[in-house]
Amino acid sequence: MSSRQQIIHAAIDVINEKGVHQYSLANVAARSGITKAAIFYHFKNKNELTLSLIKYTIEMYEQILAEEFEKLKDSSRYPFTESYLNGNLRQLSDDALIGLHGALLATAVSGDVDSGYWDAAYAEDFERMASEVGAEMAELLRYAIDGMWHAKILNIKESEGVTKEQVVQKLKQMLG
C-alpha cells in the first residue's frame, strides 16, 4: 500500500473510530504511523485529504452499483434503478462505509469542502433512474434511499416488523 493510500485509510479509521470531531491531521498521522510533515507531502491540507476521502467514497459507491448492474443488466426491466436500490441496501450493511458516508456528509454540510462531487454523483444517478422510470419515481426512490441512509447514520431504529430489505422490495414492486 502506498503512503498516500495508507493516509487515506488512516483517515477513514480515525473518522470511524473517533468521529468527525476528532478528524485532524495530527490524529491521522498518529493512526498511520506517518509524520504530519509526510502527510503534507501528499496532501496540501486537511481539505485536500477530505476531498480524497469523498472521491474514495464515491468510487466505492460506484463500484458497488456497477457490480449490482452487472447482475441485473440482462434480466431487469429497470437495471440501473434496481442496481441503485440493491447497491444502497448492500452499502447500508457495511459499517465502515456507513461511518465514512456520515462523517463526510457532515464535513460537506459544514461547508469545509466543496460538495460538488456529491452533487455530481446524485445528478448522474438521478438521470439514469429517470431515464428508466421517470423523474417523479426516480425522485421518490432517491428520497426513500436517502431516508434510509439518514436513519442509519443517525442510528434511528427501524420500525418494528419492517426492515430495509422489505422496503426495498416494496419499492421494486412499485416499479411494476
Side-chain angles (χ1 to χ4, degrees), residues 28-44:
V28 172
R31 177 73 170 144
S32 68
I34 294 174
T35 66
K36 195 171 172 183
I39 291 176
F40 284 117
Y41 175 79
H42 295 284
F43 302 96
K44 181 172 60 177

Side-chain angles (χ1 to χ4, degrees), residues 12-68:
I12 292 167
D13 290 344
V14 167
I15 291 169
N16 284 328
E17 293 168 9
K18 297 183 177 191
V20 72
H21 60 284
Q22 291 294 317
Y23 169 51
S24 67
L25 293 181
N27 283 336
V28 172
R31 177 73 170 144
S32 68
I34 294 174
T35 66
K36 195 171 172 183
I39 291 176
F40 284 117
Y41 175 79
H42 295 284
F43 302 96
K44 181 172 60 177
N45 53 37
K46 181 180 169 187
N47 285 352
E48 188 174 294
L49 174 57
T50 302
L51 285 174
S52 292
L53 293 175
I54 290 170
K55 289 176 187 177
Y56 172 83
T57 304
I58 291 170
E59 287 170 10
M60 294 296 297
Y61 171 79
E62 289 173 350
Q63 178 183 335
I64 289 170
L65 290 186
E67 290 168 4
E68 293 297 326

Side-chain angles (χ1 to χ4, degrees), residues 43-169:
F43 302 96
K44 181 172 60 177
N45 53 37
K46 181 180 169 187
N47 285 352
E48 188 174 294
L49 174 57
T50 302
L51 285 174
S52 292
L53 293 175
I54 290 170
K55 289 176 187 177
Y56 172 83
T57 304
I58 291 170
E59 287 170 10
M60 294 296 297
Y61 171 79
E62 289 173 350
Q63 178 183 335
I64 289 170
L65 290 186
E67 290 168 4
E68 293 297 326
F69 184 80
E70 281 301 310
K71 295 176 193 174
L72 294 167
K73 69 180 181 182
D74 297 325
S75 62
S76 173
R77 186 172 166 198
Y78 309 111
F80 180 78
T81 302
E82 285 194 56
S83 300
Y84 175 83
L85 294 170
N86 293 345
N88 275 282
L89 187 60
R90 189 169 136 194
Q91 290 179 83
L92 283 161
S93 64
D94 184 328
D95 289 336
L97 281 176
I98 292 165
L100 186 57
H101 274 272
L104 294 177
L105 219 70
T107 303
V109 169
S110 74
D112 290 341
V113 296
D114 178 17
S115 65
Y117 293 103
W118 291 115
D119 295 342
Y122 259 84
E124 182 178 336
D125 288 351
F126 177 79
E127 290 303 320
R128 290 183 72 185
M129 283 193 296
S131 71
E132 290 182 348
V133 299
E136 288 178 347
M137 181 58 81
E139 195 71 9
L140 174 67
L141 296 172
R142 192 170 79 171
Y143 286 150
I145 293 297
D146 284 351
M148 288 181 195
W149 272 104
H150 291 125
K152 189 68 173 180
I153 289 167
L154 296 172
N155 205 23
I156 298 169
K157 290 177 59 173
E158 292 178 348
S159 299
E160 194 166 322
V162 180
T163 66
K164 289 182 291 304
E165 292 80 8
Q166 290 170 318
V167 171
V168 166
Q169 190 59 37

